């Protein structure tokens, strides 16, 4: 009897607890699935300007000035640590050798630093961008504005630079991958802020030599003048011919008179 009552109570208790357990199971939300965090964007490759200029071409003189003035650190930081990038105009070694007047040897260290800074723009520009720059020139350089600005013109795809003292063009593209653009130029860029505005005039081209007529070529005057000279022998011949016939007639007449 007691055992039967125990079974009945246990069954009743089990049925009473089952709905509560089921309700708790349904009401509890599922555990959230963790969302994976996005992978960080890859950083752009580091551009070593010293290595690039050493390998790219005959730019050792410009590279020496970059390092001696510490401007290489400024350009390197702009290339790799800013969103603007950099555009550099690099003269060939021959451009420095051919620079006689004015000479860079008389510049102070600060002026030389400004001159090297004058060869770069604090922004990345592709070759196609210079067509727009030609419409808003002059453009400030790393050295500043005013006497340190550059004028650009685009002529059928050829980019020309004018600093007042220097007029040159972009002869080739050394490196043009954002954020660094390096272009070769044929002359050293000389800013008016250092060398002034008294720019020596460009020498005029030598005139072409005049061609004189050949000495023995006939002219109308010579032809006219030679006509009388050529007529004299003919006139003498006619005169002499008349005299001979006259004498011959006289001789014949004398012979006839003798026979008569």
């Amino acid at each position: 009897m007691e055992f039967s009552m125990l079974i009945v109570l246990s069954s009743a208790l089990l049925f009473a607890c089952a709905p509560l357990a089921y309700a708790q199971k349904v009401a509890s939300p599922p555990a959230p699935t963790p969302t994976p965090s996005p992978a960080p964007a890859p950083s752009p490759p580091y551009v070593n300007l010293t290595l690039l200029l050493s390998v790219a071409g005959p730019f050792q003189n410009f590279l020496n000035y970059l390092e001696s003035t510490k401007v290489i650190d400024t350009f390197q930081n702009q290339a790799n640590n800013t969103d603007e990038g950099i555009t550099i105009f690099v003269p060939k070694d021959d451009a420095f050798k051919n620079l006689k007047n004015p000479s860079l040897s008389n510049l102070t260290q600060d002026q030389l630093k400004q001159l090297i800074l004058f060869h770069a723009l604090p922004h990345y520009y592709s070759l196609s961008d210079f067509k727009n720059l030609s419409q808003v020139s002059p453009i400030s350089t790393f050295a500043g504005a005013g006497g340190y600005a550059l004028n650009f013109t685009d002529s059928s795809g050829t980019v020309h630079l004018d600093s007042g003292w220097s007029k040159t063009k972009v002869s080739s593209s050394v490196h043009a991958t954002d954020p660094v653009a390096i272009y070769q130029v044929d002359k050293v860029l000389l800013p008016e802020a250092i060398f002034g505005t008294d720019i020596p005039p460009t020498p005029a081209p030598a005139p072409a030599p005049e061609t004189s007529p050949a000495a023995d070529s006939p002219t109308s005057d010579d032809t006219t003048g030679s006509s009388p000279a050529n007529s004299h022998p003919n006139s003498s011949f006619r005169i002499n011919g008349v005299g001979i016939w006259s004498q011959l007639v006289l001789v014949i007449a004398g012979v006839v008179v003798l026979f008569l």
Side-chain angles (χ1 to χ4, degrees):
M1 182 68 179
E2 292 180 359
F3 181 73
S4 299
M5 290 295 295
L6 183 60
I7 291 176
V8 172
L9 290 175
S10 300
S11 299
L13 183 62
L14 180 61
F15 280 108
C17 294
L20 181 60
Y22 177 77
Q24 291 178 349
K25 182 177 180 180
V26 173
S28 60
T33 304
T35 303
S37 58
S43 58
Y46 182 84
V47 179
N48 189 326
L49 295 178
T50 301
L51 179 61
L52 186 58
L53 291 174
S54 299
V55 175
F59 306 130
Q60 191 58 48
N61 286 337
F62 184 74
L63 183 56
N64 290 340
Y65 282 118
L66 277 175
E67 294 175 341
S68 64
T69 58
K70 308 298 182 183
V71 173
I72 186 66
D73 297 332
T74 302
F75 288 177
Q76 198 73 66
N77 179 71
Q78 180 74 16
N80 294 292
N81 300 324
T82 69
D83 295 331
E84 291 294 321
I86 189 172
T87 300
I88 308 174
F89 303 101
V90 186
K92 300 183 296 184
D93 286 344
D94 290 344
F96 288 94
K97 295 177 182 178
N98 296 332
L99 186 61
K100 305 299 182 182
N101 185 24
S103 174
L104 303 186
S105 59
N106 298 326
L107 299 182
T108 65
Q109 188 67 13
D110 183 65
Q111 287 175 328
L112 192 58
K113 180 179 180 179
Q114 289 296 102
L115 182 138
I116 300 302
L117 288 170
F118 184 59
H119 285 73
L121 307 178
H123 187 79
Y124 170 83
Y125 293 104
S126 65
L127 283 174
S128 60
D129 292 332
F130 287 103
K131 187 173 184 179
N132 295 329
L133 285 186
S134 64
Q135 301 174 4
V136 294
S137 288
I139 305 299
S140 300
T141 65
F142 251 103
Y148 288 111
L150 280 171
N151 288 285
F152 293 91
T153 55
D154 185 286
S155 177
S156 301
T158 301
V159 179
H160 294 265
L161 298 80
D162 186 355
S163 70
W165 274 84
S166 303
K167 292 180 175 63
T168 185
K169 65 179 180 179
V170 172
S171 54
S172 68
S173 176
V174 179
H175 182 89
T177 302
D178 197 358
V180 176
I182 301 177
Y183 301 110
Q184 176 181 296
V185 291
D186 297 330
K187 293 182 180 180
V188 179
L189 303 179
L190 304 176
E192 289 185 356
I194 295 177
F195 298 98
T197 57
D198 188 14
I199 302 169
T202 304
E210 297 181 359
T211 56
S212 57
D216 56 351
S217 60
T219 61
S220 59
D221 294 339
D222 294 339
T223 304
T224 305
S226 63
S227 298
N230 292 335
S231 64
H232 291 312
N234 296 333
S235 301
S236 300
F237 177 77
R238 288 195 298 269
I239 294 172
N240 293 334
V242 172
I244 292 173
W245 282 106
S246 299
Q247 293 176 4
L248 184 58
V249 169
L250 292 175
V251 170
I252 295 172
V255 172
V256 170
V257 171
L258 290 176
F259 281 99
L260 292 177

